[in-house]
Amino acid sequence: MDTLTFVAVSGSLFTGTNIKQHSATAKKPARHTSKNRIQCSSGTSDNGKKSSTVEQKPVFGNVQTPRKLDSVDTSQPGWVRRYESLLVGKGVIAENVKWSVPGMNVVPENFFEETVWKKCFQLDCKREKKPFSTLRSEAMSASRSFLPRRNILKNMIVQNMKEHKVTKLGQVRRLLPGETAFGEYKPAALAQTYYDNGCAACFVYPDDVHSGGSLSDVISVHVQDKSVPVLVYDWVVNAYNIFEFRAVGADGLVLSSAIFPKKDLEYLTKAVASQSMFCIVEVNSEKQLETVVELVEQGGNKAVDAVLIVDRDFDSTLQAKPWSATFELLGSTNVASMARKLRSMDIAIMTLVDQEKDLDEAMDEHTNSQCFDAIIVPK
């Protein structure tokens, strides 16, 4: 396996393979040179005391009311914009001094982009508390303490594919978007309920904003039954997240092709493989699936274990749209052709439903067309 260098970079969405490329496009704060530094001149006020008249040329330029840029094409891979490249100067006034600080003068394209930006801000805070080098050591220590169970899940899904059976996966999460927490939440007990009902593994949602979870939930489910793989479902925005999840016992995770363009996906799938974790790439459009197929064909199929195809509501809840929308995507001629190509390399096709009625429809459709190999069942 190639040796990888993982770089913790301010901004969260940057990854090691294309750091220079993205850094070149991001707007950086201008230095205070003789042309742009704050200029002060002494004077005398009405009461006879000295005062300073501050005159400043804007470092970043003037900021107006936040606006929405031209709509982005959400079918493209990596359509989520880097928030660093959208930073501009924001005027600040304190008493008689004016200066400029980085600020955002655009609004997110939708709820998903807003969520990803928040994840980036959270990650910056995490890295201040725990440097990447420390986290990597913790992940390596965790791998020595409990071996990754990627192959257990991989072999099970591949065997089910050969027998035309569906592999079911559960969702261990406290809340769905818009729900209010009530009662006691026991992630390990919930996971066991899924296992008892035929699920091969569970996704744990550690997101504390929309799902009400935490990393300790992953630990609880991992300790519950060490023979069953534990997967994490959260929006990964940097290689830091991969090591963070591995350090608490996760055996696999999901990478979103909406967040990362092809080069970033290539780098991150290798990062996941370096930790012997089960790697799932989520796609939400035909174009995104094409990118994943190209990635697999060029680099072999060693890093990607499954492709999750789901049509999401990016504007409000981030949940899966009704099954009919996802099935329309799965059932298209091009997607079906690419899915067969992936299956020939033992890469499973997954899907997701968030409503019980959609699960019944999906299972009926699998009986008729076998358009997916594994399904994430509702909470």
Side-chain angles (χ1 to χ4, degrees):
M1 184 177 295
D2 297 336
T3 302
L4 297 176
T5 302
F6 300 103
V7 187
V9 189
S10 176
S12 305
L13 282 173
F14 295 120
T15 53
T17 55
N18 60 352
I19 180 175
K20 292 182 180 179
Q21 172 187 344
H22 290 310
S23 297
T25 61
K27 296 181 180 179
K28 298 182 178 179
R31 291 186 175 181
H32 288 289
T33 63
S34 58
K35 293 183 179 180
N36 62 20
R37 63 173 176 262
I38 297 176
Q39 312 238 344
C40 300
S41 60
S42 298
T44 305
S45 62
D46 294 338
N47 58 11
K49 294 182 179 180
K50 287 187 176 181
S51 64
S52 295
T53 302
V54 179
E55 184 179 330
Q56 180 197 23
K57 296 180 180 180
V59 178
F60 298 87
N62 295 326
V63 176
Q64 299 177 349
T65 303
R67 68 194 191 283
K68 194 165 186 176
L69 298 177
D70 294 337
S71 295
V72 298
D73 183 357
T74 57
S75 68
Q76 294 291 340
W79 62 263
V80 174
R81 298 164 295 175
R82 271 81 172 144
Y83 72 91
E84 306 90 338
S85 64
L86 302 175
L87 292 175
V88 294
K90 184 176 182 180
V92 177
I93 302 175
E95 296 182 353
N96 59 348
V97 177
K98 298 180 181 178
W99 69 92
S100 185
V101 298
M104 188 72 73
N105 78 326
V106 296
V107 297
E109 174 67 19
N110 50 35
F111 184 51
F112 181 63
E113 188 170 62
E114 178 185 358
T115 299
V116 172
W117 288 357
K118 287 180 179 178
K119 288 288 182 183
C120 293
F121 298 144
Q122 284 182 341
L123 185 56
D124 288 339
C125 295
K126 288 181 180 180
R127 287 189 295 204
E128 288 182 4
K129 296 178 180 179
K130 182 180 294 185
F132 180 73
S133 57
T134 302
L135 179 63
R136 182 172 54 185
S137 297
E138 292 180 2
M140 293 174 64
S141 176
S143 294
R144 289 192 295 267
S145 300
F146 36 87
L147 296 176
R149 294 162 292 187
R150 170 196 182 191
N151 290 337
I152 296 176
L153 182 59
K154 177 79 172 181
N155 294 338
M156 184 184 304
I157 292 178
V158 170
Q159 183 60 37
N160 285 344
M161 288 167 60
K162 293 177 180 178
E163 298 176 4
H164 305 292
K165 296 179 181 178
V166 176
T167 303
K168 293 184 179 180
L169 305 166
Q171 297 187 60
V172 177
R173 60 192 301 180
R174 180 189 293 268
L175 302 171
L176 291 173
E179 287 185 339
T180 302
F182 63 92
E184 187 177 5
Y185 175 57
K186 297 181 179 180
L190 180 56
Q192 188 59 51
T193 300
Y194 279 113
Y195 302 153
D196 294 341
N197 284 276
C199 288
C202 283
F203 284 93
V204 181
Y205 288 67
D207 171 60
D208 60 346
V209 177
H210 303 301
S211 301
S214 68
L215 290 174
S216 63
D217 297 342
V218 183
I219 299 174
S220 298
V221 176
H222 171 82
V223 173
Q224 168 76 9
D225 190 340
K226 294 185 179 180
S227 66
V228 182
V230 178
L231 309 172
V232 167
Y233 211 130
D234 200 357
W235 304 118
V236 172
V237 294
N238 185 273
Y240 187 100
N241 296 125
I242 297 170
F243 288 83
E244 179 182 39
F245 297 150
R246 181 60 199 139
V248 294
D251 300 297
L253 50 76
V254 180
L255 300 174
S256 171
S257 61
I259 299 176
F260 300 108
K262 183 179 177 181
K263 286 187 176 181
D264 285 356
L265 269 181
E266 180 181 8
Y267 171 76
L268 289 170
T269 54
K270 289 180 179 179
V272 176
S274 75
Q275 297 301 297
S276 300
M277 299 174 73
F278 192 88
C279 182
I280 304 166
V281 179
E282 177 179 322
V283 300
N284 314 111
S285 70
E286 185 176 317
K287 291 180 181 178
Q288 292 175 11
L289 182 59
E290 288 175 357
T291 298
V292 175
V293 172
E294 291 173 4
L295 178 64
V296 170
E297 289 180 330
Q298 292 173 4
N301 63 330
K302 296 180 180 179
V304 179
D305 296 298
V307 176
L308 172 61
I309 301 177
V310 58
D311 194 356
R312 284 191 182 276
D313 178 5
F314 284 130
D315 293 324
S316 56
T317 66
L318 300 186
Q319 289 186 264
K321 291 182 180 178
W323 167 249
S324 57
T326 294
F327 177 63
E328 183 177 353
L329 178 59
L330 280 166
S332 73
T333 303
N334 289 340
V335 170
S337 175
M338 288 185 283
R340 286 193 295 270
K341 186 177 296 186
L342 291 171
R343 286 190 180 103
S344 69
M345 295 182 282
D346 288 340
I347 298 175
I349 303 301
M350 289 185 175
T351 192
L352 179 154
V353 292
D354 280 322
Q355 303 295 329
E356 197 66 37
K357 62 181 181 64
D358 289 335
L359 177 60
D360 295 335
E361 292 182 22
M363 294 305 295
D364 288 342
E365 194 54 55
H366 176 269
T367 302
N368 297 328
S369 62
Q370 296 180 352
C371 55
F372 58 87
D373 309 303
I375 187 167
I376 305 173
V377 300
K379 170 181 173 289

